[in-house]
Amino acid sequence: MTAIDDAATFTSLRSFAPVSASRVDSAVTRTMVMPRASRAVANRQQWERRYRARLAITDTLVVLIICTFASLVSLQLLNPYLLSADPWILARIPLLTAFGWLATLGLLGTRDVSVFGAGALEYQRVAHATVLAFGLLAIAFVIFQWQGLRTQLFIAFPLGIVAVIASRWAWRHWLVRQRAFGEYSSRTVVVGERDDVEYVIRTLGGGRLGYLVVGAAVHDEDLDSLRVDNAIYPVMRGHSWVGQAAALEADTIIVASQPNGDPDYIKQLAWQVEGTAAELVLSSRIADVAGPRMSLRPVEGLPLIHVKIPTFEGGAHVFKRGLDMLASAFGLLLFSPIMIGIMIAIKLDDGGPVFFRQRRVGRDGREFDMLKFRSMSVDAEDQLSGLVGDNEGAGLLFKMKNDPRVTRVGRILRKYSLDEVPQFINVLRGDMSMVGPRPPLPKEVTRYDGKVFRRLYIKPGITGPWQVGGRSDLSWEESVRLDLRYVENWSVIDDLIIMWRTVKVMVSPTGAY
């Protein structure tokens, strides 16, 4: 008799013969009991609650401080007669603003576990919640004309959105540090074919993204351990590996791939890990580039994964151009004193020209002259043929850590990316963008394969995922993957994050040579 048949019999016995129900086999009754959360799941839920509470407390403090500040500004602007007629106006308006703001932060999922510590989604939700809250307040002002609400809109809104995002950034920075020590991470077991398991483990980056891999289950391979980069992971074998995963106190199972010929594998696995794991995560190689454009839509019980086709025209790209012009103009203004000093230093170093113009390929294959401060000797191009054998770059790139052509001033400029400051002029002219793929040389483009040409679908950038993701230390394949992901999935929030990370890279350079 199957478990379902036993359960039906048990129900029948309880309905028609209560006395005999006690005689039902204990194994049958166990199938009727809901799974209880394991210690691993309880530990995960505990740290999630603690971190969520910290975010909620910080949000509340920031919102109250900003709204109170805006109210104090109102005190200086309000008509004293109106204030004496309604002395509670300075308390009522900021409390109303704070309540609506905090409510939208909670309702729009800005503190969901899924947005903890990685990606731009948390910042996007915070921005959307803040815009929605103050949009509703603006409607209220138009309808009721409440005194004091105007200063909340013009002062609390711009200051508040920056302050809340800054507080979230600070908490995220703290969270990443904790995860470096194995705290506040999901203890994870990766399941699938060996190549897929290794790819997932390598991508997760040793726990910094919130998944601390503690073991693996590899299909159809007799392994005791799995070595990925410099780490060794225990491999669980046999049909009882779920129990072994529970012994490792794993609270998350990532399925990198499922066995061939077993369409019910995921469903059966989900039933097996009930109570012992908090999450079952499905990994797909399609998400490597198309992740932000993917969505799940069940239709009559059939789960359909929708992948939105990327677009490279339209209003979002017009907005990106406006942001480029504003940011590049500000950059030139900010760096103008430094640029004068750099030009003098280059001239004093070897007396050669200050700027270096190099032909690069931009959007849709159009070539342009990219400007840089000269960091190499005047005859650097002539010396290149003799250095090809010492190339340390990845793929089609030529790079040397100790390139003899680089001047004394040039080494400093390259280390801190100051040689690229004149590219703000390229951005103003429309040849480049503030953020985008690395601008390639014409000879590199002639050697591109089919997929790499997609890097040319948008304008190249002064900075980009390659610049903040490791620069010259990246492999060719990794730099292409980062660029393609950016080309198809860029957003304004992502651009702002990359710009901010670029500032950090300039201060603490890695892979710059």
Side-chain angles (χ1 to χ4, degrees):
M1 183 179 291
T2 66
I4 294 178
D5 293 335
D6 285 343
T9 303
F10 181 71
T11 304
S12 176
L13 287 170
R14 287 187 59 86
S15 301
F16 299 102
V19 176
S20 60
S22 61
R23 302 175 185 175
V24 178
D25 187 270
S26 60
V28 176
T29 36
R30 280 198 299 271
T31 65
M32 305 296 293
V33 179
M34 291 186 299
R36 296 293 186 263
S38 66
R39 185 174 67 175
V41 174
N43 290 339
R44 171 179 169 148
Q45 292 171 343
Q46 185 180 35
W47 72 254
E48 287 174 350
R49 285 193 298 269
R50 287 203 308 266
Y51 187 71
R52 192 183 292 113
R54 289 169 177 172
L55 292 182
I57 292 171
T58 305
D59 288 347
T60 302
L61 290 175
V62 169
V63 166
L64 289 176
I65 290 172
I66 293 296
C67 292
T68 302
F69 174 75
S71 184
L72 292 176
V73 174
S74 295
L75 180 62
Q76 306 297 322
L77 301 177
L78 279 177
N79 187 319
Y81 173 77
L82 292 175
L83 186 59
S84 61
D86 187 3
W88 292 101
I89 189 171
L90 290 178
R92 186 173 64 249
I93 295 301
L95 287 177
L96 173 66
T97 305
F99 176 80
W101 192 357
L102 291 171
T104 54
L105 286 172
L107 292 174
L108 268 64
T110 66
R111 294 186 285 269
D112 283 354
V113 178
S114 60
V115 301
F116 284 176
L121 186 56
E122 180 181 6
Y123 301 134
Q124 289 175 341
R125 289 187 180 182
V126 168
H128 292 165
T130 303
V131 170
L132 175 61
F134 281 90
L136 294 175
L137 286 173
I139 295 174
F141 174 75
V142 171
I143 296 174
F144 301 106
Q145 293 293 310
W146 288 332
Q147 296 294 327
L149 191 54
R150 179 179 298 175
T151 52
Q152 295 291 331
L153 295 173
F154 287 100
I155 296 177
F157 173 59
L159 291 179
I161 195 170
V162 172
V164 175
I165 290 178
S167 70
R168 292 302 185 92
W169 174 86
W171 274 118
R172 177 174 290 198
H173 194 64
W174 176 87
L175 183 63
V176 170
R177 290 202 307 269
Q178 296 300 310
R179 285 173 171 174
F181 299 102
E183 302 293 332
Y184 290 83
S185 295
S186 299
R187 294 177 61 84
T188 304
V189 170
V190 184
V191 187
E193 302 295 334
R194 181 170 181 172
D195 289 344
D196 296 317
V197 169
E198 291 179 348
Y199 174 78
V200 169
I201 292 176
R202 193 173 290 112
T203 303
L204 291 178
R208 62 184 176 82
L209 298 178
Y211 295 97
L212 180 64
V213 178
V214 296
V218 181
H219 300 324
D220 301 326
E221 287 202 36
D222 190 14
L223 299 173
D224 293 322
S225 62
L226 184 66
R227 185 182 186 90
V228 180
D229 295 333
N230 296 320
I232 299 177
Y233 302 91
V235 174
M236 295 159 286
R237 295 180 293 178
H239 297 290
S240 61
W241 71 264
V242 172
Q244 300 173 49
L248 292 172
E249 296 190 355
D251 58 66
T252 299
I253 308 295
I254 295 183
V255 181
S257 58
Q258 63 184 74
N260 294 327
D262 190 357
D264 293 329
Y265 178 79
I266 302 296
K267 179 171 62 178
Q268 297 290 342
L269 180 58
W271 290 343
Q272 290 182 59
V273 301
E274 286 178 349
T276 64
E279 269 190 323
L280 182 64
V281 182
L282 307 184
S283 172
S284 173
R285 290 292 183 102
I286 191 175
D288 187 39
V289 171
R293 293 180 285 111
M294 292 175 60
S295 60
L296 180 65
R297 180 185 175 190
V299 177
E300 295 294 334
L302 178 66
L304 300 179
I305 296 177
H306 290 238
V307 181
K308 185 179 179 181
I309 303 301
T311 57
F312 307 100
E313 303 264 346
H317 289 268
V318 173
F319 185 83
K320 181 178 175 68
R321 175 59 184 153
L323 179 64
D324 285 341
M325 296 178 66
L326 182 64
S328 58
F330 177 76
L332 285 172
L333 182 64
L334 179 67
F335 281 97
S336 56
I338 300 176
M339 292 174 68
I340 294 173
I342 292 174
M343 288 188 285
I344 294 173
I346 293 174
K347 271 295 183 184
L348 293 177
D349 190 23
D350 62 4
V354 170
F355 294 104
F356 173 70
R357 290 176 172 82
Q358 190 175 46
R359 204 70 176 163
R360 296 294 180 108
V361 180
R363 184 176 183 179
D364 296 331
R366 291 191 293 268
E367 295 187 7
F368 66 96
D369 288 325
M370 186 180 75
L371 294 175
K372 299 180 72 173
F373 281 127
R374 185 173 58 83
S375 60
M376 289 186 174
S377 58
V378 178
D379 60 344
E381 293 295 319
D382 298 330
Q383 297 181 42
L384 179 60
S385 59
L387 299 172
V388 172
D390 298 320
N391 183 21
E392 298 174 294
L396 306 179
L397 304 178
F398 178 86
K399 288 286 184 178
M400 289 181 64
K401 289 186 178 180
N402 297 300
D403 196 324
R405 302 173 298 164
V406 179
T407 64
R408 291 175 300 174
V409 173
R411 294 195 185 281
I412 299 174
L413 297 180
R414 286 185 164 217
K415 182 177 181 179
Y416 296 102
S417 300
L418 294 174
D419 59 324
E420 299 176 359
V421 171
Q423 291 170 31
F424 286 131
I425 299 173
N426 288 113
V427 175
L428 278 178
R429 293 194 311 200
D431 299 325
M432 297 176 63
S433 176
M434 288 296 298
V435 182
R438 188 188 66 84
L441 295 165
K443 63 181 179 182
E444 292 176 27
V445 175
T446 60
R447 298 164 61 187
Y448 279 179
D449 61 21
K451 69 176 184 179
V452 185
F453 275 111
R454 299 180 66 83
R455 299 170 81 181
L456 306 179
Y457 285 3
I458 65 174
K459 293 177 182 178
I462 295 178
T463 186
W466 178 84
Q467 182 89 355
V468 300
R471 303 171 78 174
S472 299
D473 289 340
L474 292 173
S475 67
W476 170 252
E477 292 76 15
E478 183 68 11
S479 64
V480 169
R481 185 183 72 84
L482 289 174
D483 279 347
L484 293 184
R485 182 179 177 85
Y486 174 82
V487 167
E488 299 185 5
N489 304 288
W490 77 272
S491 68
V492 174
I493 293 293
D494 285 333
D495 278 7
L496 294 176
I497 290 175
I498 290 175
M499 289 182 195
W500 169 247
R501 290 179 63 189
T502 301
V503 175
K504 294 171 61 179
V505 168
M506 291 176 67
V507 175
S508 301
T510 301
Y513 52 85

